[in-house]
């Protein structure tokens, strides 16, 4: 279930808003210029789904976003637990890459086809934690300070949209703020 939690940026123990209501989430984020949408989930994606299969499964919705936003590159990434002994290290390295607060010169649009992850948006004097689940599209506007947590055991498939072929390029703020807020595992555990 999708979850929005809002904290003051200087008091991570104080919750200003916590909701799982999709309409409230879309309204709260929309007021910040952040797009949040729910798409129907394609239930029959194979466990070892390829990027091409994900993109084709969601082609009508993806084409609509491309037409609205002018994206040039769309891909899909899969992070799924594996019996491979090196998987845990690879997952930890991937997670660490996104945990520090950063910005992008471009919008960051992500659609979760399977699994979940948390985007933390640092806007004004608040931090907005959006635990996205399968079916969620979140668009983080360019220059918005944020970070992403996929958890200690990442398991998701997401579609990424880019305006140019350069892909993901982050400018890190150097702020330790992300270390102060509940991580993915804590937020996800609170929903169960």
């Amino acid at each position: 279930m999708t979850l929005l939690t809002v904290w003051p940026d200087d008091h991570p123990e104080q919750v200003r808003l916590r909701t799982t209501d999709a309409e409230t989430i879309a309204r709260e984020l929309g007021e910040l210029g952040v797009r949040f949408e729910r798409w129907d989930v394609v239930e029959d994606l194979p466990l070892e789904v390829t990027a091409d299969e994900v993109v084709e499964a969601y082609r009508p919705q993806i084409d609509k976003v491309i037409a609205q936003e002018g994206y040039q590159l769309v891909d899909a990434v899969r992070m799924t637990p594996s019996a491979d002994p090196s998987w845990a290290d690879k997952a930890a390295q991937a997670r660490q890459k996104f945990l520090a607060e950063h910005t992008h010169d471009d919008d960051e649009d992500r659609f979760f086809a399977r699994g979940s992850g948390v985007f933390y948006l640092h806007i004004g004097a608040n931090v907005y934690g959006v635990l996205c689940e399968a079916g969620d599209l979140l668009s983080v506007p360019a220059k918005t300070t944020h970070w992403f947590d996929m958890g200690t055991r990442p398991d998701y498939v997401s579609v990424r949209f880019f305006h140019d072929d350069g892909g993901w390029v982050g400018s890190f703020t150097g702020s330790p703020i992300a270390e102060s807020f509940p991580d993915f595992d804590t937020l996800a555990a609170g929903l169960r």
Side-chain angles (χ1 to χ4, degrees):
M1 181 171 287
T2 308
L3 172 69
L4 171 64
T5 308
V6 182
W7 305 270
D9 64 0
D10 57 350
H11 287 287
E13 73 287 348
Q14 182 183 78
V15 174
R16 288 189 169 156
L17 174 66
R18 181 178 169 91
T19 184
T20 58
D21 180 71
E23 288 181 19
T24 301
I25 293 169
R27 185 180 60 252
E28 290 289 326
L29 295 176
E31 290 174 3
L32 303 168
V34 176
R35 179 171 59 180
F36 172 80
E37 295 177 4
R38 297 276 310 145
W39 295 357
D40 290 335
V41 176
V42 174
E43 299 290 347
D44 60 351
L45 291 177
L47 183 60
E48 300 291 324
V49 67
T50 68
D52 289 342
E53 289 171 328
V54 174
V55 171
E56 284 312 307
Y58 289 97
R59 176 58 61 197
Q61 298 94 327
I62 289 170
D63 285 348
K64 183 179 175 187
V65 172
I66 290 170
Q68 290 172 338
E69 305 296 335
Y71 287 111
Q72 301 297 314
L73 174 67
V74 175
D75 71 4
V77 293
R78 178 174 54 90
M79 180 68 74
T80 306
S82 166
D84 178 344
S86 66
W87 182 83
D89 287 338
K90 290 177 184 174
Q93 289 173 3
R95 180 183 188 220
Q96 196 61 41
K97 178 179 179 180
F98 305 110
L99 279 177
E101 185 182 65
H102 59 277
T103 64
H104 304 285
D105 289 338
D106 198 358
D107 296 339
E108 181 172 1
D109 282 29
R110 295 291 180 271
F111 169 70
F112 284 81
R114 184 167 59 219
S116 55
V118 180
F119 277 91
Y120 297 84
L121 313 174
H122 186 190
I123 301 174
N126 291 319
V127 170
Y128 300 79
V130 187
L131 194 156
C132 295
E133 300 259 324
D136 291 345
L137 172 75
L138 185 73
S139 178
V140 180
K143 304 291 186 190
T144 301
T145 52
H146 68 283
W147 64 94
F148 176 73
D149 188 0
M150 61 184 80
T152 55
R153 190 166 169 77
D155 189 4
Y156 69 92
V157 176
S158 69
V159 176
R160 308 181 304 174
F161 298 82
F162 302 101
H163 281 110
D164 62 52
D165 294 342
W168 192 93
V169 179
S171 299
F172 292 89
T173 66
S175 170
I177 188 169
E179 299 167 14
S180 301
F181 287 84
D183 65 7
F184 169 89
D185 296 327
T186 302
L187 290 177
L191 284 177
R192 296 185 178 38

